[in-house]
Amino acid sequence: MPTALLEIPADGAPPQRALERAVEALRLGELVAMPTETVYGLAARADLPLALERLSEVKGHARDRALTWHVAEAATALAAFPALGPLVRRLTDHYWPGPLTLVLQGVPEGLALVAREGWTGVRQPAHEGTRAVLAAADFPVVMSSANMHGETPPSDAAAVHATFENRVALILDGGPARLAESSTVLAVGHGRFELLRTGFLDEQQLRRTAGLTLLFVCTGNTCRSPMAEALARSLLAERLGTDDPAHFGFHVSSAGVMAGAGAPAAENAVSALAELGVDPGDHRSRNVRSAEVADADHVYCLTAEHREALIALLPPDQAEHVELLDPGGRGLPDPVGGDLATYRRSAAAIAAALEARLTEWV
């Protein structure tokens, strides 16, 4: 079949004729070459076996090769993959639309043919013309780089035409790909934070974006804040499916507004945590520093007095991230000097507040 070549803008919607022709070709199971900011891709209807078979045949690769669902709006992907929602949202807010492909745990409706072992790749490209086509399609669309298997992905429509003339229905020429390099591919799910393909983004950058720096502050950093630190780390590890939340970019610490340096956690605090199966490690008390308060994503204070002390360390209007640990706005009383039962009650109250906060983090 002869291949049509239509021009579309990189920074706006394509002409109506090009838009309608691209959507109709995809609807019928034809292949359409479209630009992204990284490279050109071959697009196919994801829920139509004939289209996927045609894509494999044209590219010369096995049918079980991974294909990436491309979406016009990040909200579409977030709604389809609710697990680890806030963590994934931080990545999409920072990098989408753009050169990051996320492989997420789950199989959204219409994508069973392209998912692999319960995981599905998804991306929001930055090319506005291509996003307009994706938005106009009432079916899921997957894309694979527009090259023969093993060859270099093309960055312009002329290279696509030279390879796939008469083998695809339509080529949308949106100008040269701005980055001319394949997207970074990151798999994120329970127990998994794995860079599958390098690109413009490195693993350290992605971890910094995905995770959070959490700081818990009380008075002496021997009772409440060490319990909050240890319990938060334990809850995060369980939710993320990892022994170390830092693997997902989470950094958890504690300090005090009037702490002496180097004191261990209170004996009853350690005992109360142990009964919950939580180990505070080799904790040593320390005084809070203004720089770490400013740099943390969230600073959780055990009482309003602690919050007032920290706000005084910051420039005006830069303390929104300093808040009470309890979402209801209550201070959590100091168990210092109390018996084990007192510390148990304190640990339980802290754990309840952390459970309420957990859905904001992961």
Side-chain angles (χ1 to χ4, degrees):
M1 62 178 177
T3 298
L5 181 65
L6 299 176
E7 292 187 2
I8 63 172
D11 55 357
Q16 191 64 25
R17 173 173 171 268
L19 182 65
E20 292 176 354
R21 189 161 180 179
V23 172
E24 186 60 17
L26 290 168
R27 185 187 309 281
L28 297 175
E30 301 290 348
L31 304 182
V32 176
M34 299 194 291
T36 74
E37 77 286 2
T38 54
V39 297
Y40 271 68
L42 294 183
R45 182 170 174 171
D47 57 355
L48 197 61
L50 176 65
L52 301 177
E53 290 167 8
R54 181 171 286 150
L55 179 58
S56 296
E57 179 183 352
V58 165
K59 282 203 52 154
H61 63 51
R63 171 63 187 86
D64 60 356
R65 294 278 296 184
L67 299 171
T68 300
W69 179 30
H70 281 60
V71 296
E73 300 294 338
T76 303
L78 291 168
F81 298 98
L84 307 187
L87 184 152
V88 172
R89 188 177 300 112
R90 286 189 291 274
L91 288 166
T92 59
D93 284 350
H94 197 82
Y95 296 115
W96 279 9
L100 175 64
T101 295
L102 292 172
V103 179
L104 301 175
Q105 202 164 12
V107 183
E109 183 178 357
L111 292 159
L113 296 174
V114 299
R116 293 292 173 266
E117 298 180 349
W119 296 74
T120 308
V122 60
R123 178 185 169 207
Q124 184 193 24
H127 196 287
E128 291 188 24
T130 291
R131 286 212 311 277
V133 175
L134 298 172
D138 57 357
F139 45 83
V141 175
V142 291
M143 291 176 68
S144 179
S145 56
N147 58 285
M148 296 300 293
H149 179 55
E151 296 184 358
T152 302
S155 58
D156 59 63
V160 179
H161 189 267
T163 302
F164 295 106
E165 183 181 6
N166 299 329
R167 303 176 70 192
V168 301
L170 175 64
I171 298 174
L172 298 179
D173 184 353
R178 178 168 49 88
L179 301 180
E181 182 177 340
S182 297
S183 66
T184 298
V185 181
L186 176 71
V188 182
H190 188 74
R192 190 179 187 191
F193 193 101
E194 181 182 1
L195 193 64
L196 302 181
R197 184 174 70 199
T198 57
F200 274 82
L201 310 171
D202 63 41
E203 198 164 0
Q204 186 176 358
Q205 286 177 287
L206 295 168
R207 281 200 177 95
R208 278 199 303 265
T209 303
L212 294 169
T213 298
L214 308 176
L215 174 63
F216 298 93
V217 179
C218 68
T219 305
N221 193 216
T222 59
C223 301
R224 288 168 291 180
S225 60
M227 288 196 290
E229 176 188 351
L231 286 164
R233 191 174 287 113
S234 176
L235 288 169
L236 282 168
E238 181 179 2
R239 178 66 64 90
L240 295 168
T242 180
D243 292 334
D244 183 9
H247 184 65
F248 286 76
F250 285 88
H251 299 279
V252 185
S253 62
S254 65
V257 295
M258 298 177 61
E267 183 177 348
N268 281 338
V270 175
S271 297
L273 289 174
E275 291 178 353
L276 298 173
V278 176
D279 181 2
D282 186 24
H283 174 80
R284 290 294 181 268
S285 63
R286 63 186 185 86
N287 220 37
V288 69
R289 301 186 304 272
S290 58
E292 67 179 329
V293 175
D295 291 344
D297 294 298
H298 296 283
V299 181
Y300 295 109
C301 303
L302 275 297
T303 68
E305 291 75 19
H306 300 139
R307 182 174 183 274
E308 290 169 5
L310 296 189
I311 289 175
L313 301 176
L314 300 174
D317 304 321
Q318 293 187 25
E320 289 185 0
H321 67 299
V322 181
E323 51 194 321
L324 291 181
L325 174 59
D326 178 64
R330 297 171 301 160
L332 300 181
D334 194 348
V336 67
D339 58 12
L340 180 56
T342 302
Y343 276 82
R344 286 181 184 133
R345 289 192 293 272
S346 180
I350 291 169
L354 290 168
E355 288 276 8
R357 293 287 186 188
L358 188 60
T359 56
E360 302 171 12
W361 307 335
V362 181

